[in-house]
Amino acid sequence: MIGLLTGQVVETSEAGCILDVQGVGYLLSCSRKTLDRLTAGDGVQRVLVETHLRQDAITLYGFADAAEREAFRALIEVKTVGPQKALLVLSGLAPTALARAIAGKERKRLAEVKGLGAATANRIIDEPAMQKWAVGRATPEADGAGTETTPATPPGDEGDAVSALINLGWKRPEAAAAVARVRTRLGAEAPLGTLIRDSLKELAPR
């Protein structure tokens, strides 16, 4: 079973990417948020992997961090929510945002995830195991916000960009400040990948 791959992204599509690991190309199915984070940086990327075996196929699902992989594992346990729908959810909501939506029973917010639909959203929210999963993950502390004096994670793509920078080793205050400067400069329509890339430039030693 494959749990981790380290290599270079050589090709991407709507469904995932090909990761070149010492000359072997692994086809990974990924969420849009993971794809944006993988393509925002250059060089070698570290990807967590969930391996699914069926009689007719072996499918690899790639994740930029452990929180997303954990959310994926929880989602696919919900009846009728398979791996592809789980990736749809994670393309629309970061794990902490998903936990908040489930804990707060925000049915409309979850139903608005592109391609998911109200019936599946309700099933996810009403699933006792998902409610249990959401406990403890629906607070700022769940993704490293820390004490009350630590700035809260911004919503949406800005929050995802801050989390990506933290995973790369930056402290939350400096990561949040860099993302805020980039958002102000580029405007509200800047995609996640651009936010991360330009924030890294902001943080680079001068």
Side-chain angles (χ1 to χ4, degrees), residues 20-104:
D20 184 336
V21 181
Q22 297 182 349
V24 178
Y26 290 86
L27 179 62
L28 304 175
S29 294
C30 306
S31 72
R32 172 49 55 188
K33 292 183 184 298
T34 282
L35 281 178
D36 286 341
R37 287 170 62 177
L38 292 179
T39 56
D42 296 324
V44 174
Q45 303 290 328
R46 179 178 179 274
V47 187
L48 297 174
V49 175
E50 186 80 0
T51 305
H52 279 219
L53 302 175
R54 295 199 319 245
Q55 287 186 338
D56 58 344
I58 300 175
T59 306
L60 303 180
Y61 297 93
F63 307 93
D65 57 49
E68 191 183 60
R69 182 171 65 177
E70 184 183 61
F72 175 86
R73 288 171 173 172
L75 284 165
I76 61 175
E77 293 300 318
V78 179
K79 187 177 180 180
T80 75
V81 178
Q84 294 308 315
K85 282 189 178 180
L87 290 182
L88 283 177
V89 173
L90 295 170
S91 292
L93 293 171
T96 303
L98 173 62
R100 289 172 184 159
I102 292 171

Side-chain angles (χ1 to χ4, degrees), residues 5-19:
L5 291 171
T6 302
Q8 290 185 305
V9 176
V10 295
E11 184 178 321
T12 63
S13 68
E14 286 297 315
C17 67
I18 294 176
L19 192 73

